[in-house]
Structure formats: structure tokens, C-alpha cells
């Protein structure tokens, strides 16, 4: 809408319409002339603590299993202050790229580290935050991938999961804090822990999340150990349900997509990470066509090195098109001889608007929220704006919405979360990030050297 605006009270949108029709008085009036305002982006998969471990030389050129093995012990060194700094850095980066709701998948809690410091950091910066009490319990000695020193006792995990839910989970409309239970992956937790986590989650009304079908190595693991492919393995544990979403879901066949659609479970598509780790290309258009809920995730910063949400939107569009060029048609066999530009194959193209929908309405469905994902009365006042009159968009303004996806990903001028200004004139307005970045860099170097004290502290 041209010359559009919205009016919000106490973090909830009351009116959306042309600026002239909106109330002319308010406590805060934002003039976004020359900018485009879009619904806040929703990140459905991250490991915020990994901002400390971006670009580690030993993990630059390997795929998932060797990449994990190169880092588990380093990640385990993360202390509560390092976790706070990394959470602030990751959330600042997300907010500056238009993200207003972030889910974090934390699963490695050593050195007194808990999700509490992450939740506090999210409050500080003002991000709508879904935290996970994640877990790993299957160490190397039990046939799992992580070192024994990186896993936790299952009884403690379950007790702490219950505590986190009771202490923090707020299911109400406009909620700023929710909890999910998120055992890490089939190769790092036991069947018992998956079942028990599902039981606690369901009796408490919180959602369930894990990594699944990310790589062929994972598929080999479940086939060898359980004689089941990953989707069937999770199904056997009661994990193929509407309250579950899986990160990645790259390696699935058509029957498995049908099962996922019938179960109404969701997927966090992480294109940058899947490319970075050479994991493969998720069949996102097939998911969309069959009714699987799909949101986008930047994934952890050790496998993306960036938390730029708008960049993820662009990569989702581009990667779906690469799949279109590489693989057979996704429609009937009779299409196989048709060129990709034939009108009968038009639905196989990921459009810019579809990619934005994945990051907004799609993400809201994956997280089970009806109060975010679009700008309309009754929904949360979560949005961001981008200045369109820049070199980056010059010549692309025939379609400003699509320009934000087709052109190089830009930073937000303003990001508003729950009616509060979190990014103002391109800078985080709620936390002084300069000292945080400095402290974060000291922790990053210290932890890579396996020291539990930041350099220079
Ligand atoms: Zn992940």
C-alpha cells in the first residue's frame, strides 16, 4: 500500500490504512516517508551462542559430522557472560536485518550455562524470544556423536526442562517469551529422552523441535542403529505431530513429505547453512505444495557466519531456483520435457513474495503463533522499514516489495518490536552494542583457545 501506515496501542496494532485515515496524534509518531515497511521477520532456527565461533579455521571446509566434531569441545567452554554477549550480538544482528521474533536452539549447557542468561539478554534488547531448553545425552561411549564431556544427565535435563517452562513460558497473545523443548538430533540424544521430552512438552503445552534429515550421514546413522529412516524413527517416538518442527529436513522422499503434511508438522528451512555445510537442497516448494508448514532460519552462526534474516529470504528464493535447474520437475512426469520457463511449470518457481511469506506468516505457523507474521488489527506491532532511495535499490523500484529480496540484502532503518523502537536509524537503540561487541570478541578468542576467561579481563 502506498502512503500506508499503522496505529498501535500497547504493542498491538489497532488500525492499518492510508496515513490520512489514521489518528494524527500518538505518543510516538514515526515518519517513514521514502521507506518500505514490512511485517517483522521470524527466525525459526538459530544457535545464538555460535556467534562466538564464526569462521573457526578448523570448521571452514567440512560437512556436518566433522564440523560438529571440530567444535563440540570448544562450544562446551561457553560461560554465562559469554552466552549473554553472544545472545546480544546475534539478536542485534537479527533485529538490524528486520527480524522481530527469534527462536534459539540451545542444547549445550556446561560451566553453569543456562537459558536464563539468554532470556535476560533478549529482554534487554527487546526481541520477541522463543528459547529452547535443548539437550544432548548420547555421548560417544553410548554410540552418539558428541564427546561424553559435552552431554548431560537425562534426569537433570528433564527436571530443568520443566523448570524452564514453569519459570518462563508465556502462551498469551503478545507473549514476548516462550519455551520449546529441543533435544538436539537423532545422533546425540536417546529414544527415552525424545519420548520423555515430548511427554513434558505436551502436558505443558509447549512445542518440540530438533534437527532432522539434515545430511545423508544422519540417515545412515538411524538406518544402521534403528533400521529406520529419520522420519520413521521420529514417528515411532511420537514426534510426527502438529506441535513439532524440524530444522533442515533436506533429505526426504515424497512419501515422507506426505507423512509430514498429514501430521501438520513444520520445517525450519536454513538455506545458507545447507549451502555452507554442503548438506543439500531442501524440497521447499514441494513442502509448500503439500501443506507442510515452512519457516526460515539463519541457523547457528558457526554454519552461516551471519544472522542476516533478509539475506536468508533471498537465499531461500535463489536456492529453490537452483533446485529447479538441477533436478527433475516437481509436477507430473509429463512435465519432464518442458523447459523450466514453461507456464505449466510456473508454480515451481519460488517468488520474492513467497520467500517473504516463509519468513513471516510461515514462521508464525511453525512457531504456533496467530498474533505475529502480518500487519493487521489485533496482531503484534512488529515491523521493520528499509530506505528505498539508495544505490542498492536504484532501478528496482517498479516493485519495491520484490526489490527487498532481489537486490542485495540491506539493513533495517527502523525495527519495531511489540511497539518499541529496537533499531533506530540503522542502529540498535536499546543496548549500547559497542562494549558488548568488544567483550564478545575477547570471549571468542579466549574460548577458541579453550580458556574460560576472556583475554584482557
Ligand atoms: Zn541448527
Amino acid at each position: 500500500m502506498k502512503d500506508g501506515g499503522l496505529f498501535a496501542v500497547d504493542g498491538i496494532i489497532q488500525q492499518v490504512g492510508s496515513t490520512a485515515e489514521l489518528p494524527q496524534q500518538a505518543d510516538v509518531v514515526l515518519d517513514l516517508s521514502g521507506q518500505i515497511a514490512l511485517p517483522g521477520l521470524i527466525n525459526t532456527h538459530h544457535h545464538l551462542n555460535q556467534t562466538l565461533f564464526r569462521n573457526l579455521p578448523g570448521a571452514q571446509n567440512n560437512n556436518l559430522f566433522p564440523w560438529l566434531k571440530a567444535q563440540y569441545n570448544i562450544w562446551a567452554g561457553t560461560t554465562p557472560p559469554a552466552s549473554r554477549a553472544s545472545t546480544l550480538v546475534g539478536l542485534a544482528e537479527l533485529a538490524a536485518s528486520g527480524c522481530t521474533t527469534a527462536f534459539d536452539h540451545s542444547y549445550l549447557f556446561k560451566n553453569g550455562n543456562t537459558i536464563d542468561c539468554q532470556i535476560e539478554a533478549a529482554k534487554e534488547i527487546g526481541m520477541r524470544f522463543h528459547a529452547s531448553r535443548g539437550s544432548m545425552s548420547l555421548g560417544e561411549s553410548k554410540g552418539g556423536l558428541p564427546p561424553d564431556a559435552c552431554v548431560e544427565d537425562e534426569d537433570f535435563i528433564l527436571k530443568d526442562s520443566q523448570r524452564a517452562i514453569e519459570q518462563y513460558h508465556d502462551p498469551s497473545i503478545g507473549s514476548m517469551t516462550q519455551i520449546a523443548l529441543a533435544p538436539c538430533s537423532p545422533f546425540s540424544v536417546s529414544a527415552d529422552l525424545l519420548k520423555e521430552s515430548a511427554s513434558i512438552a505436551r502436558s505443558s503445552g509447549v512445542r518440540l523441535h530438533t534437527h532432522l534429515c539434515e545430511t545423508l550421514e544422519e540417515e545412515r546413522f538411524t538406518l544402521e542403529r534403528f533400521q529406520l529412516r529419520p522420519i520413521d524413527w521420529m514417528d515411532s517416538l511420537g514426534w510426527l505431530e502438529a506441535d513439532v518442527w524440524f530444522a533442515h529436513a533436506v533429505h526426504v522422499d515424497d512419501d515422507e513429505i506426505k507423512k509430514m503434511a498429514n501430521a501438520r508438522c513444520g520445517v525450519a528451512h536454513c538455506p545458507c547453512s545447507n549451502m555452507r555445510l554442503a548438506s543439500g537442497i531442501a524440497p521447499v516448494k514441494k513442502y509448500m505444495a503439500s501443506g507442510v508448514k515452512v519457516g526460515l532460519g539463519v541457523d547457528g552462526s558457526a554454519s552461516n557466519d551471519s544472522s542476516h534474516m533478509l539475506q536468508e529470504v533471498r537465499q531461500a528464493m535463489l536456492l529453490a531456483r537452483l533446485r529447479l535447474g538441477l533436478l527433475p520437475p516437481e509436477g507430473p512426469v509429463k512435465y519432464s520435457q518442458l523447459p523450466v520457463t514453461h507456464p505449466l511449470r510456473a508454480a515451481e518457481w519460488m517468488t520474492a513474495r513467497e520467500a517473504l511469506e516463509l519468513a513471516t506468516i510461515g514462521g508464525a505457523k511453525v512457531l504456533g503463533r496467530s498474533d505475529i507474521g502480518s500487519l493487521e488489527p489485533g496482531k503484534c506491532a512488529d515491523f521493520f522499514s528499509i530506505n528505498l532511495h539508495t544505490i542498492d535499490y536504484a532501478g528496482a523500484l517498479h516493485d519495491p516489495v520484490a526489490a527487498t529480496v532481489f537486490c542485495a540484502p540491506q539493513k533495517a532503518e527502523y525495527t519495531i518490536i511489540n511497539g518499541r523502537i529496537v533499531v533506530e536509524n540503522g542502529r540498535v537503540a536499546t543496548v549500547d552494542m559497542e562494549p558488548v561487541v568488544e567483550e564478545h570478541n575477547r570471549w571468542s578468542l579466549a574460548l577458541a583457545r579453550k580458556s574460560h576467561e576472556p583475554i584482557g579481563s
Side-chain angles (χ1 to χ4, degrees):
M1 177 193 293
K2 261 195 162 184
D3 299 319
L6 62 83
F7 177 71
V9 176
D10 294 337
I12 301 290
I13 298 171
Q14 306 293 320
Q15 269 178 267
V16 179
S18 73
T19 303
E21 290 166 0
L22 297 174
Q24 300 300 302
Q25 304 270 313
D27 293 342
V28 179
V29 177
L30 279 182
D31 179 359
L32 303 180
S33 308
Q35 301 181 38
I36 185 170
L38 294 168
L41 306 178
I42 296 166
N43 186 41
T44 59
H45 187 70
H46 206 317
H47 309 283
L48 289 161
N49 286 170
Q50 288 180 14
T51 60
L52 294 158
F53 312 104
R54 292 199 244 229
N55 186 35
L56 273 184
Q60 286 174 359
N61 306 306
N62 30 22
N63 70 350
L64 186 69
F65 280 17
W67 174 88
L68 283 167
K69 279 178 160 298
Q71 297 178 95
Y72 278 132
N73 281 319
I74 301 174
W75 292 345
T78 307
T79 59
S83 175
R84 174 187 173 269
S86 63
T87 302
L88 285 175
V89 164
L91 293 180
E93 214 185 349
L94 284 170
S97 61
C99 177
T100 54
T101 299
F103 165 72
D104 187 68
H105 187 179
S106 276
Y107 54 80
L108 216 169
F109 298 106
K110 294 285 168 178
N111 300 310
N113 211 3
T114 63
I115 59 165
D116 303 58
C117 55
Q118 290 195 290
I119 290 171
E120 283 312 310
K123 280 184 188 158
E124 239 181 285
I125 203 161
M127 179 64 73
R128 201 177 296 284
F129 193 50
H130 287 223
S132 78
R133 201 323 174 175
S135 52
M136 293 203 297
S137 67
L138 196 70
E140 271 170 335
S141 64
K142 291 181 182 162
L145 193 73
D148 288 353
C150 294
V151 305
E152 292 179 280
D153 171 71
E154 294 195 352
D155 286 340
F156 178 73
I157 290 168
L158 294 169
K159 229 183 267 167
D160 200 45
S161 299
Q162 193 74 58
R163 173 195 73 87
I165 294 167
E166 283 164 16
Q167 198 167 340
Y168 295 112
H169 185 66
D170 171 12
S172 65
I173 295 285
S175 160
M176 290 297 286
T177 311
Q178 297 206 359
I179 300 289
L181 297 189
C184 186
S185 62
F187 49 84
S188 60
V189 294
S190 72
D192 277 351
L193 186 61
L194 285 163
K195 277 196 255 181
E196 289 301 317
S197 297
S199 157
I200 292 178
R202 286 180 182 139
S203 62
S204 315
V206 306
R207 288 176 106 73
L208 285 161
H209 178 66
T210 192
H211 296 97
L212 203 73
C213 305
E214 182 173 359
T215 64
L216 292 173
E217 283 92 338
E218 175 202 315
E219 191 174 300
R220 271 194 289 277
F221 179 92
T222 64
L223 278 170
E224 276 167 21
R225 201 172 163 104
F226 315 116
Q227 291 75 54
L228 291 170
R229 287 168 57 79
I231 292 285
D232 286 338
W233 168 238
M234 296 309 281
D235 194 13
S236 76
L237 300 166
W239 267 66
L240 227 57
E241 297 286 343
D243 55 0
V244 177
W245 83 106
F246 301 119
H248 305 298
V250 172
H251 299 281
V252 290
D253 62 24
D254 288 353
D255 285 342
E256 289 164 340
I257 293 176
K258 239 180 254 166
K259 278 185 193 172
M260 292 163 78
N262 289 341
R264 294 186 296 120
C265 53
V267 166
H269 175 44
C270 307
C272 283
S273 172
N274 295 161
M275 287 188 270
R276 172 32 158 118
L277 297 177
S279 301
I281 308 177
V284 175
K285 287 292 295 191
K286 279 192 183 184
Y287 283 136
M288 291 162 73
S290 57
V292 174
K293 293 175 279 192
V294 185
L296 295 186
V298 297
D299 202 0
S301 294
S303 67
N304 177 338
D305 311 275
S306 160
S307 307
H308 198 304
M309 203 49 211
L310 201 53
Q311 168 169 268
E312 213 61 36
V313 176
R314 185 171 193 253
Q315 297 291 26
M317 180 183 78
L318 297 180
L319 192 58
R321 291 172 180 214
L322 179 61
R323 186 183 163 92
L324 174 64
L326 289 177
L327 296 175
E330 290 176 358
V333 180
K334 64 181 177 187
Y335 290 3
S336 60
Q337 296 304 315
L338 299 178
V340 292
T341 48
H342 193 284
L344 282 172
R345 296 190 60 186
E348 290 178 55
W349 286 72
M350 170 87 73
T351 66
R353 282 173 173 75
E354 281 176 328
L356 281 169
E357 275 174 26
L358 294 181
T360 51
I361 301 166
K365 285 183 184 158
V366 163
L367 295 183
R369 295 196 64 150
S370 57
D371 56 345
I372 55 174
S374 57
L375 299 178
E376 50 190 311
K379 290 211 175 184
C380 298
D382 291 3
F383 60 94
F384 70 106
S385 71
I386 300 180
N387 183 0
L388 289 169
H389 297 275
T390 61
I391 292 170
D392 315 274
Y393 294 123
L397 298 183
H398 328 280
D399 182 352
V401 173
T404 63
V405 184
F406 274 99
C407 298
Q410 300 300 305
K411 292 276 182 78
E413 204 63 30
Y414 280 88
T415 301
I416 311 298
I417 306 176
N418 206 36
R420 179 184 184 197
I421 299 174
V422 173
V423 173
E424 186 172 25
N425 298 318
R427 289 181 68 85
V428 172
T430 46
V431 174
D432 179 5
M433 287 305 295
E434 243 172 75
V436 177
V437 169
E438 218 171 278
E439 184 193 348
H440 181 272
N441 282 341
R442 281 189 274 121
W443 275 115
S444 168
L445 295 173
L447 292 169
R449 293 188 181 104
K450 297 194 184 167
S451 159
H452 293 253
E453 292 298 328
I455 294 161
S457 68

